[in-house]
């Protein structure tokens, strides 16, 4: 993660004033142009479309019926696209900290709903690195309790904590998919660990994040990081591209995949390429490791072997023993197309008992060798101890 101190407050102020201006007057040069489905755009009011400050289209990766949270929704374009993809059984929440952007989005919502024949979008005021705190509730509290002394400050801090726990802006585990379009890079460096923690908190187990954002081909020079204007213009805050994907893993997500990365950069400044990427990453469905054993998987290829976030090594074409949690995880996106699932053997027909289930049993005779009476054993993907020394599943 980028390390920097002192700039953080300036970053938020610069982002605030830049997007207030961009809400008042469309700024076509902000962020890189993206193509959207014209059929889906047709029902979105011009005031919203003119304030398109995105760099990708995460709504392509949504499914019908899903509950979606859009971080930094701006005037709402991505939310209104998502509303059509998830349909009347789905729901979309847009969060932004900018009053002017939210005003345009909220004015437009009934117009979109009228065209669609259903209303499934809500816009909320908050900071995306603090998705528990409803800033409109806080604004209302501050109107009644102005802060003018240190004693007032203590009262404010208590009120903030109460709002977070009793009336959270976004509940824990309430969202199927967190999406965002060209916003994460605008969050100040010191807030980024918290930002990813919040993404994981609001996702339901097994949910996913689909994030389009600007990344850089190498480290952005330190001097640029001191410039609030370059921050608000999506340059200074751009992650180095390898560090961006690492953030998801460090936050405890798995299966992180770059699903879009155009060859042509959006900008090249001093030899550094800036481009938009779209990344998908998954929250584990279960934290519990090794609920039952005798599960095996086989990696199909084309690479000689692969390693997942938990350190399981899967050589191509070879059976490896895994715990049930890992087995089930390999049975879901994004792994299922690449991994063959081999369930525990059913009892042999000659009445002889199959091997007893073990806790992530690293050694089992496969059904074929059992039938042959062979002593062939299946290697474990990882050591048998679970969780292992790394603290990760089976690792
Ligand atoms: C580049 S615009 C992108 C808007 C929108 N996603 C789109 O595709 O047009 C950035 C938006 O994120 C909002 N934003 C930036 N940092 C934020 C933060 N920390 N919390 C909430 N909103 C933020 C800004 O107010 C602005 O509306």
């Amino acid at each position: 993660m980028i390390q920097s101190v002192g700039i953080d407050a300036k970053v938020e102020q610069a982002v605030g004033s830049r997007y207030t201006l961009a809400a008042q007057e469309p700024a076509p040069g902000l962020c890189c142009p993206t193509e959207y489905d014209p059929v889906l755009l047709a029902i979105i009011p011009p005031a919203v479309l003119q304030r398109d400050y995105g760099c990708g289209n995460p709504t392509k990766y949504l499914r019908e019926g899903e509950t979606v949270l859009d971080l930094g929704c701006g005037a709402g374009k991505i939310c209104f696209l998502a509303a059509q993809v998830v349909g009347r059984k789905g729901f979309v929440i847009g969060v932004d900290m900018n009053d002017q952007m939210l005003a345009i989005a909220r004015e437009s919502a009934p117009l979109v709903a009228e065209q669609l024949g259903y209303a499934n979008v809500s816009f909320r005021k908050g900071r995306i690195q603090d998705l528990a705190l409803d800033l409109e509730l806080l604004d209302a509290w501050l109107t009644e309790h102005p802060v003018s002394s240190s004693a007032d400050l203590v009262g404010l801090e208590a009120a903030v904590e109460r709002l977070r726990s009793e009336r959270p802006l976004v509940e824990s585990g309430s969202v199927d998919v967190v999406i965002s379009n060209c916003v994460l890079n605008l969050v100040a460096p010191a807030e980024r660990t918290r930002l990813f923690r919040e993404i994981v908190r609001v996702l339901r187990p097994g949910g996913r994040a689909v994030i389009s954002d600007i990344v850089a081909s190498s480290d952005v020079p330190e001097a640029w990081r001191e410039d609030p204007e370059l921050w608000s213009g999506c340059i200074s805050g751009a992650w180095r591209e390898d560090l961006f994907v690492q953030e998801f893993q460090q936050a405890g997500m798995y299966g992180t995949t770059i699903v879009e990365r155009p060859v042509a950069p959006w900008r090249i400044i001093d030899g550094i390429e800036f481009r938009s990427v779209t990344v998908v990453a998954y929250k584990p469905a279960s934290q519990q490791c090794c609920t039952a054993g005798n599960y095996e998987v086989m990696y199909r290829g084309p690479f000689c072997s692969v390693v997942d976030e938990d350190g399981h090594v899967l050589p191509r074409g070879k059976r490896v023993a895994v715990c049930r949690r890992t087995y089930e995880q390999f049975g879901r996106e994004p792994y299922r197309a690449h991994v063959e699932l081999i369930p525990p053997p059913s009892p042999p027909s000659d009445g002889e008992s199959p091997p007893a289930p073990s806790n992530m049993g690293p050694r089992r005779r496969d059904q074929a060798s059992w039938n042959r009476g062979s002593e062939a054993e299946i290697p474990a993907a990882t050591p048998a101890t679970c969780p292992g020394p790394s603290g990760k599943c089976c690792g």
Side-chain angles (χ1 to χ4, degrees):
M1 206 193 79
I2 300 159
Q3 294 297 324
S4 162
V5 284
I7 185 76
D8 295 48
K10 283 192 250 169
V11 167
E12 194 154 325
Q13 275 172 359
V15 170
S17 39
R18 185 145 194 178
Y19 288 98
T20 295
L21 287 177
Q24 287 161 356
E25 196 59 47
L30 265 182
C31 271
C32 50
T34 305
E35 284 191 4
Y36 300 97
D37 181 344
V39 176
L40 300 183
L41 290 179
I43 62 157
I44 302 178
V48 173
L49 296 179
Q50 287 158 5
R51 290 160 180 85
D52 172 1
Y53 302 130
C55 61
N57 182 9
T59 67
K60 284 198 286 186
Y61 304 92
L62 299 176
R63 292 191 280 267
E64 198 180 344
E66 290 184 317
T67 298
V68 177
L69 171 67
D70 180 19
L71 303 181
C73 59
K77 181 200 65 220
I78 288 292
C79 291
F80 295 133
L81 292 173
Q84 298 172 73
V85 179
V86 300
R88 63 173 67 240
K89 289 187 183 151
F91 197 78
V92 182
I93 303 160
V95 169
D96 206 286
M97 64 182 184
N98 189 293
D99 289 313
Q100 283 80 0
M101 287 290 185
L102 285 172
I104 296 168
R106 284 170 171 164
E107 276 164 25
S108 305
L111 306 176
V112 172
E114 197 181 318
Q115 298 275 334
L116 285 178
Y118 56 84
N120 66 346
V121 187
S122 125
F123 293 102
R124 304 180 188 174
K125 184 176 173 185
R127 293 161 79 230
I128 62 172
Q129 62 271 43
D130 186 3
L131 290 167
L133 185 60
D134 185 326
L135 291 182
E136 275 163 338
L137 291 180
L138 180 61
D139 287 341
W141 188 91
L142 282 166
T143 305
E144 288 189 13
H145 308 86
V147 175
S148 57
S149 70
S150 54
D152 292 345
L153 184 60
V154 174
L156 169 63
E157 285 168 357
V160 164
E161 273 320 303
R162 210 168 37 247
L163 288 174
R164 280 198 188 107
S165 63
E166 292 174 9
R167 301 177 69 185
L169 184 76
V170 185
E171 298 256 10
S172 301
S174 62
V175 169
D176 295 314
V177 196
V178 170
I179 61 173
S180 186
N181 192 14
C182 216
V183 182
L184 269 52
N185 75 82
L186 298 172
V187 173
E191 301 276 285
R192 289 183 173 187
T193 301
R194 189 180 183 203
L195 166 67
F196 275 87
R197 212 186 301 135
E198 280 293 83
I199 291 174
V200 174
R201 179 184 69 80
V202 299
L203 278 173
R204 67 162 170 80
R208 66 192 186 283
V210 185
I211 308 293
S212 299
D213 222 303
I214 299 290
V215 294
S217 57
S218 57
D219 286 321
V220 172
E222 210 51 50
W224 299 7
R225 296 186 186 273
E226 298 299 317
D227 182 335
E229 281 307 301
L230 285 177
W231 266 100
S232 61
C234 299
I235 295 293
S236 300
W239 269 270
R240 204 178 75 200
E241 51 193 337
D242 56 323
L243 298 181
F244 185 52
V245 289
Q246 259 181 37
E247 291 277 7
F248 296 88
Q249 184 176 355
Q250 280 164 4
M253 303 184 84
Y254 73 92
T256 306
T257 307
I258 301 164
V259 292
E260 287 186 42
R261 184 186 180 281
V263 176
W266 164 55
R267 283 195 187 163
I268 304 177
I269 306 175
D270 287 358
I272 303 175
E273 294 182 356
F274 293 86
R275 59 166 53 73
S276 163
V277 292
T278 299
V279 169
V280 180
Y282 300 80
K283 175 174 173 173
S286 152
Q287 298 297 341
Q288 202 185 3
C289 181
C290 303
T291 50
N294 270 332
Y295 293 89
E296 293 171 5
V297 295
M298 181 189 288
Y299 170 54
R300 293 194 174 107
F303 296 101
C304 299
S305 73
V306 288
V307 187
D308 74 357
E309 266 85 357
D310 286 321
H312 298 104
V313 179
L314 304 185
R316 178 179 51 211
K318 198 162 187 173
R319 289 179 176 219
V320 290
V322 292
C323 75
R324 181 170 170 178
R325 169 191 181 272
T326 302
Y327 178 87
E328 288 175 351
Q329 192 156 288
F330 283 141
R332 289 190 287 266
E333 279 183 36
Y335 298 129
R336 66 178 172 214
H338 308 284
V339 177
E340 190 76 30
L341 299 175
I342 304 166
S346 51
S349 52
D350 62 5
E352 194 181 357
S353 298
S358 67
N359 186 17
M360 166 52 201
R363 302 275 179 264
R364 83 163 183 184
R365 293 193 297 179
D366 68 312
Q367 188 67 53
S369 57
W370 182 266
N371 291 340
R372 283 197 310 273
S374 139
E375 288 304 312
E377 288 181 334
I378 308 302
T382 54
T385 48
C386 190
S390 68
K392 292 180 173 179
C393 183
C394 313

